[in-house]
Amino acid sequence: MIPYEDLGAANAPFIEEYKTSFEATLKSGWFILGKNVAEFEEEFARYIGAKYCVGVASGLDALILSLRALDLPKGSEVVVPSNTYIATILAIVQSDLIPVLVEPDIATYNIDPKKIEEKITSKTRAIVVVHLYGKSCEMDPILDICRRHDLRLVEDAAQSHGAAYKGKTTGTFGDFGAFSFYPTKNLGALGDAGAVATNDPVLAQKIRVLRNYGFQKKYYNEVVGFNSRLDEIQAGFLRIKLKSLDVITQHKRKLAALYHEGLSNAFIKPVVQDDFFDVYHIYNIRHPEREKLQEYLLTKGVKTDVHYPVSPHRQEAMKGILDHFDCPISEEIHKTTLSLPISFCHTEDDVCRVIEALNSF
Ligand SMILES: *Cc1c(COP(=O)(O)O)cnc(C)c1O
């Protein structure tokens, strides 16, 4: 059986280094906001080309703290793609802001810049873009809209570590880039972890204060903060993994190229465009008989996944919040999309077997 993901196997190359790092942290006796977190923040900022990076507890928290740090008036409208993972929407809702859905481009699965302006009202204050599946959004028109309408920009870069648009890395275009290091992400920890990137020293300091109970000077609280810190042990693991992130990305790009060349035209494949450096957190195809195809692949020994089966505006939790939006493109994607194995644990042979199985459907 070819698994969709095997995190044990994907992390196996790093076991010895992880053990050394864990022992060193254990012996140091310093577990919260120490050397590993500070070093990782610097190394990750350098990697993506941002001035600052602040480690937090998860990708969701990275989004929430980013939105809180912008101090938008309660009830402000925030534009967000309709086909994102629910976390992006939750961050907006939990910050007392109103999500306004914009449909994606059916070819790229990312927010359609041409559909943003019709959704902007006098209450719109920000756009949260999502670089879904590891492909950057088309940033030039989005940055232009932000400038013309005086909107803040947050990037959900949870799936796009190292992905770039016109040579610039995702997470560095907006006021904030929010990253997740959930174990399955391209840069994954061995537990929950996240980070916020920014080029603004004042905003960076705001995130540092918000993540640690709202104080700069211990026990003197300036703002209503959170406990959302990246911990030392995870930061140690992330420092090790970061050194191999280029290798992981190249591996995924190689597997994606095999799919691109090998899969028949019965399947709609991800687009490959000039100006976009994609990192394939997910390699999805679309097919009208997705359920049948997924079952057929299981009989051929191939496990797949679906990202995602239900649109946010169709979720039970979003009744009264999103259910008034009409999102036919999102629904089409959610109905037909299928994610193929593309982990660091998969070999080129594995992918050739997956291609063979798909083409025989
Ligand atoms: C994973 C993910 C998140 C949330 O990250 P967590 O670390 O699980 O909180 C947010 N947005 C997107 C697009 C994601 O894929």
Side-chain angles (χ1 to χ4, degrees):
M1 179 67 75
I2 297 174
Y4 177 71
E5 173 66 280
D6 179 344
L7 289 174
N11 282 292
F14 311 107
I15 286 180
E16 286 313 314
E17 278 187 275
Y18 285 162
K19 283 182 184 167
T20 307
S21 169
F22 172 73
E23 265 186 33
T25 306
L26 184 59
K27 281 186 188 147
S28 80
W30 194 283
F31 304 122
I32 299 289
L33 298 185
K35 173 178 148 285
N36 276 334
V37 170
E39 297 275 330
F40 173 71
E41 288 175 342
E42 229 171 79
E43 289 158 4
F44 190 65
R46 198 177 316 135
Y47 183 84
I48 62 172
K51 286 209 180 100
Y52 309 95
C53 166
V54 183
V56 298
S58 71
L60 175 60
D61 278 6
L63 288 162
I64 292 175
L65 267 56
S66 295
L67 289 168
R68 294 278 173 150
L70 291 177
D71 288 321
L72 305 175
K74 207 173 164 168
S76 297
E77 291 176 3
V78 177
V79 167
V80 63
S82 55
N83 61 322
T84 186
Y85 178 56
I86 197 75
T88 328
I89 311 277
L90 291 177
I92 295 169
V93 172
Q94 296 197 359
S95 304
D96 296 321
L97 302 167
I98 313 286
V100 174
L101 300 182
V102 169
E103 285 261 81
D105 180 326
I106 188 81
T108 65
Y109 309 121
N110 277 330
I111 193 165
D112 188 340
K114 292 188 293 296
K115 292 184 179 151
I116 293 176
E117 280 190 291
E118 65 199 52
K119 295 291 182 84
I120 292 176
T121 72
S122 59
K123 285 192 188 158
T124 312
R125 291 288 175 275
I127 302 179
V128 181
V129 294
V130 183
H131 308 295
L132 204 67
Y133 302 156
K135 175 191 277 300
S136 173
C137 296
E138 197 187 341
M139 293 311 297
D140 279 347
I142 294 169
L143 290 167
D144 185 51
I145 290 167
C146 287
R147 268 191 296 269
R148 279 190 287 109
H149 296 271
D150 195 20
L151 303 177
R152 310 305 293 261
L153 178 64
V154 174
E155 299 171 71
D156 182 339
Q159 300 189 0
S160 68
H161 315 79
Y165 169 76
K166 297 191 174 172
K168 193 171 158 69
T169 308
T170 55
T172 66
F173 290 91
D175 294 290
F176 290 115
F179 288 86
S180 165
F181 307 118
Y182 182 78
T184 61
K185 305 288 157 113
N186 286 22
L187 178 60
L190 305 183
D192 278 311
V196 177
T198 181
N199 288 317
D200 182 324
V202 175
L203 291 181
Q205 185 57 19
K206 270 187 161 175
I207 300 288
R208 280 189 208 104
V209 169
L210 280 173
R211 79 169 166 187
N212 199 16
Y213 288 114
F215 63 67
Q216 300 197 68
K217 186 174 168 202
K218 203 169 182 181
Y219 306 133
Y220 292 82
N221 302 76
E222 302 157 26
V223 296
V224 179
F226 297 78
N227 174 354
S228 181
R229 301 170 298 220
L230 172 60
D231 79 68
E232 277 292 291
I233 289 175
Q234 295 303 335
F237 297 151
L238 286 167
R239 292 184 68 195
I240 291 160
K241 201 82 159 281
L242 180 59
K243 287 188 288 172
S244 293
L245 183 53
D246 282 340
V247 175
I248 294 169
T249 299
Q250 286 313 328
H251 184 73
K252 287 182 148 243
R253 284 173 56 84
K254 173 76 204 180
L255 300 183
L258 289 177
Y259 280 131
H260 192 76
E261 282 160 32
L263 286 175
S264 86
N265 288 332
F267 310 103
I268 301 173
K269 294 173 255 184
V271 287
V272 178
Q273 307 150 282
D274 289 346
D275 292 339
F276 291 79
F277 182 82
D278 306 329
V279 300
Y280 297 101
H281 169 58
I282 286 166
Y283 188 96
N284 81 313
I285 53 156
R286 285 193 298 119
H287 192 277
E289 292 180 291
R290 193 259 317 279
E291 312 295 334
K292 247 192 184 168
L293 175 60
Q294 191 171 25
E295 270 170 42
Y296 174 79
L297 290 172
L298 262 186
T299 70
K300 294 276 172 185
V302 176
K303 281 201 182 158
T304 55
D305 208 339
V306 172
H307 299 91
Y308 300 92
V310 183
S311 279
H313 75 294
R314 294 286 190 205
Q315 297 284 0
E316 178 77 26
M318 291 298 142
K319 281 211 176 108
I321 301 172
L322 296 182
D323 54 349
H324 60 289
F325 286 101
D326 189 28
C327 308
I329 297 175
S330 280
E331 282 180 36
E332 175 65 19
I333 294 168
H334 289 86
K335 228 170 25 208
T336 56
T337 192
L338 186 68
S339 309
L340 307 182
I342 191 161
S343 161
F344 196 48
C345 75
H346 293 115
T347 63
E348 294 181 25
D349 259 10
D350 290 335
V351 164
C352 290
R353 279 170 56 203
V354 178
I355 292 169
E356 214 172 286
L358 274 150
N359 287 345
S360 70
F361 177 64

